[in-house]
Amino acid sequence: MPGAMAKLQGFEFWEKTLKGARYVVAPMVDQSELAWRLLSRRHGAELCYTPMFHAKVFVRDVNYRRDNLYSEVCQEDRPLITQFCANDPEVFIQAALLAQDYCDAIDLNLGCPQMIAKKGRYGVFLQDEWELLEKMIKLANEKLSVPITCKIRVFPEIEKTVKYAKMLEKAGCQLLTVHGRTKDQRGPLTGLANWEHIKAVREAVNIPVFANGNIQHLSDVKRCMEETGVHGIMSAEGNLHNPALFEGRSPPVWEMADEYLEVVQKHTPCSLSYVRAHLFKLWHHTLQIHQDLREDLGKVKNLESLANVSLQLKLRCQEEIAKGVGDPNTSGGLPHWCCQPYVRPPPKEPGSENTQKDSEVKGAKRALEETDGATDSLSKNQQRRQARNPHKNFRAGLKLKYIKCEQCDNPKGNKCVFNLCRACCKKAALKEVADCPGHGMKFKTKALRAAAELENSQISGIQAELPSTPPDQPVAQTVA
């Protein structure tokens, strides 16, 4: 490929194409869309990633490509890296080739720890499949006209993490982002990221390294760079709660909310769910106090209404400031109406029963466990669901056995006249011009109706062509 030889690599790529970017907005599903990226760039971000795209869907669905990347082309939005999740080298390359003209690099997601990633076999759940990853990155490095980068999570062992990073570098990765948490550190078990792992990777590889994890303030950015020696800092949650993080400011929330909504208006269409999610995170601390508006923010159905709820929150905060009302909800000494990080609560100690509510929940679980022996083999979650819906059946052996369609493996319709599934029934009914009441197919009825309408129109046409008959003259004489 002619362009592949000319593309920049490693530090040259970071310095020239990415302009030595140090402050980076992370790829976030449904959250790092164009409007948010532009807002972040206004307030100190030097490099942004797109949300994570599913490579298989990106290749298959032209609407998915248009809605998620092609329609978001903007000169202000550079440098930009597009991220994909994938587990098939050929599919990954096809998706990357479709995206490479709209960005400055392609990133392979090897860090997503969510259950949907486990089910789809991508993200961090590929971190043990080194042969596959090596093949994917090598192919991308050979075929693409832009560099290939990776975002990873660490192994519990520093040595294995370093070996992993060096394998990716050798395969052709030109920039590595290291999230200092393991695969199991997510949700209530998130905990702190380990910067020692990041430092060890930085010292072991000869490509630029970005650090991710524990970034809540600009002071954290500077401290992480000093302690690890990385070339850039990536922020996800910290950026969502304070898009001015890289400026070292904690502005009033309404300042960021108003500016974000203004950008959204200029760069439509932007999914309402994205906007709502951003407002929930920006106003997180204030919504703990004004619970009624939290409910309103979740219910409204258009952008104008979302903006109106944000305005009400702004007015309430300004009223509190004017009255000098004390702020009972502070984080790091900041009032609730200032942009500030969300501090995730630590997991509860096993066996702790701190509140009456906890005891009630445990009592409810115990009551479920003490029901008749029919629920013994069900999980606690299944027992709770069955308590809400007594007819719910979780036992595979007792589930109804469906009769298969005579032409495929799908279940046949119970009332199908052809003993077929809906898709096969439609083909059969169309071919035989027949009806199937069970599947609502009415090809025969429609054909008869169309024939009747045609016959009626022909009769009407003949009657229209007949000469008019005088009232006093017999029809037979007129015809004669």
Side-chain angles (χ1 to χ4, degrees):
M1 186 174 179
M5 297 300 293
K7 68 182 177 185
L8 302 180
Q9 298 183 343
F11 285 102
E12 194 177 13
F13 158 66
W14 174 64
E15 290 168 357
K16 294 185 178 179
T17 305
L18 303 185
K19 301 174 184 177
R22 296 170 302 153
Y23 303 149
V24 186
V25 174
M28 298 174 283
V29 177
D30 297 343
Q31 293 288 267
S32 52
E33 85 286 356
L34 175 63
W36 189 259
R37 298 196 299 263
L38 292 177
L39 175 71
S40 300
R41 290 179 191 277
R42 290 183 182 183
H43 296 282
E46 298 169 343
L47 168 66
C48 292
Y49 283 63
T50 67
M52 180 192 76
F53 300 144
H54 195 294
K56 191 173 183 180
V57 181
F58 197 86
V59 171
R60 182 185 67 218
D61 192 338
V62 64
N63 293 326
Y64 184 79
R65 296 198 293 272
R66 184 191 65 236
D67 296 343
N68 287 289
L69 186 63
Y70 292 179
S71 67
E72 294 195 347
V73 176
C74 176
Q75 291 302 316
E76 304 168 54
D77 189 33
R78 301 300 278 268
L80 177 69
I81 296 179
T82 297
Q83 188 187 69
F84 287 106
C85 67
N87 55 27
D88 182 308
E90 294 300 329
V91 172
F92 176 52
I93 292 305
Q94 289 178 48
L97 287 170
L98 289 168
Q100 66 179 358
D101 292 337
Y102 299 85
C103 59
D104 298 294
I106 299 294
D107 186 79
L108 178 60
N109 184 327
L110 301 176
C112 181
Q114 303 304 321
M115 282 300 98
I116 191 170
K118 183 176 183 179
K119 185 177 179 181
R121 198 174 137 257
Y122 60 81
V124 75
F125 298 97
L126 290 177
Q127 70 175 175
D128 290 315
E129 301 189 38
W130 290 17
E131 188 176 335
L132 171 64
L133 296 181
E134 188 175 15
K135 183 178 179 181
M136 291 175 74
I137 294 165
K138 265 186 180 175
L139 198 60
N141 192 42
E142 292 169 4
K143 300 287 186 182
L144 300 180
S145 62
V146 296
I148 175 71
T149 69
C150 297
K151 184 173 187 287
I152 65 171
R153 282 195 169 218
V154 300
F155 288 95
E157 308 84 9
I158 290 181
E159 296 78 10
K160 189 172 183 180
T161 303
V162 168
K163 190 176 178 182
Y164 180 45
K166 293 179 80 171
M167 179 274 292
L168 296 173
E169 178 190 14
K170 185 178 178 182
C173 176
Q174 303 302 321
L175 183 149
L176 192 62
T177 299
V178 184
H179 187 147
R181 293 185 174 91
T182 65
K183 176 171 60 179
D184 299 321
Q185 285 184 278
R186 58 186 179 83
L189 301 176
T190 296
L192 293 176
N194 191 322
W195 288 355
E196 287 299 317
H197 284 67
I198 301 174
K199 180 181 180 182
V201 170
R202 164 66 192 95
E203 292 173 349
V205 299
N206 295 308
I207 55 175
V209 175
F210 291 161
N212 184 208
N214 300 351
I215 305 301
Q216 296 182 335
H217 304 280
L218 185 60
S219 57
D220 298 325
V221 172
K222 295 176 178 177
R223 185 164 58 87
C224 183
M225 294 187 80
E226 289 171 1
E227 291 185 16
T228 63
V230 293
H231 304 90
I233 299 295
M234 177 181 284
S235 173
E237 233 178 36
N239 164 262
L240 290 176
H241 288 274
N242 181 11
L245 182 153
F246 290 130
E247 289 182 320
R249 296 193 306 124
S250 295
V253 174
W254 61 81
E255 180 183 315
M256 294 293 98
D258 290 349
E259 190 173 350
Y260 172 62
L261 290 169
E262 175 194 329
V263 178
V264 169
Q265 292 280 9
K266 288 182 180 178
H267 297 275
T268 54
C270 182
S271 172
L272 196 69
S273 63
Y274 300 178
V275 181
R276 192 196 310 275
H278 281 303
L279 292 179
F280 263 118
K281 288 182 174 64
L282 285 171
W283 286 111
H284 172 81
H285 296 280
T286 300
L287 289 170
Q288 307 308 306
I289 298 170
H290 301 286
Q291 293 282 345
D292 57 322
L293 292 181
R294 179 184 185 85
E295 190 174 333
D296 291 345
L297 191 61
K299 285 181 178 179
V300 294
K301 302 294 183 184
N302 55 58
L303 187 61
E304 184 179 356
S305 299
L306 285 175
N308 184 52
V309 175
S310 185
L311 175 61
Q312 291 181 59
L313 285 164
K314 172 182 176 179
L315 294 175
R316 288 193 187 184
C317 291
Q318 291 178 336
E319 187 178 347
E320 288 180 29
I321 294 170
K323 291 180 178 178
V325 176
D327 176 31
N329 253 4
T330 59
S331 173
L334 291 170
H336 67 79
W337 54 78
C338 285
C339 290
Q340 57 194 283
Y342 165 66
V343 180
R344 195 182 298 274
K348 292 182 180 179
E349 292 294 327
S352 64
E353 295 183 12
N354 300 325
T355 64
Q356 182 179 357
K357 186 176 180 181
D358 288 340
S359 301
E360 290 172 359
V361 171
K362 289 179 182 293
K365 290 181 180 178
R366 194 175 300 113
L368 285 169
E369 291 168 7
E370 292 170 357
T371 55
D372 62 280
T375 62
D376 287 347
S377 61
L378 300 182
S379 68
K380 292 179 181 180
N381 183 43
Q382 288 173 333
Q383 291 176 39
R384 288 194 293 273
R385 289 165 65 190
Q386 194 172 60
R388 293 194 296 269
N389 180 6
H391 302 292
K392 186 79 174 174
N393 179 25
F394 295 99
R395 298 175 183 274
L398 298 178
K399 288 184 179 178
L400 293 173
K401 300 295 184 183
Y402 293 103
I403 302 173
K404 288 185 179 179
C405 167
E406 293 182 359
Q407 296 183 9
C408 70
D409 290 333
N410 291 325
K412 82 173 188 71
N414 291 331
K415 297 180 181 180
C416 179
V417 298
F418 298 106
N419 290 321
L420 303 174
C421 67
R422 182 177 183 83
C424 295
C425 172
K426 185 175 182 180
K427 294 176 184 176
L430 178 61
K431 183 178 179 180
E432 299 183 21
V433 193
D435 288 350
C436 176
H439 281 124
M441 304 298 174
K442 298 182 179 180
F443 293 107
K444 182 179 179 180
T445 302
K446 290 178 181 177
L448 292 174
R449 187 183 301 139
E453 290 175 356
L454 180 61
E455 185 179 348
N456 289 336
S457 65
Q458 289 175 344
I459 292 172
S460 299
I462 292 171
Q463 290 177 344
E465 291 175 3
L466 291 175
S468 59
T469 305
D472 58 343
Q473 190 172 4
V475 175
Q477 292 180 7
T478 304
V479 174

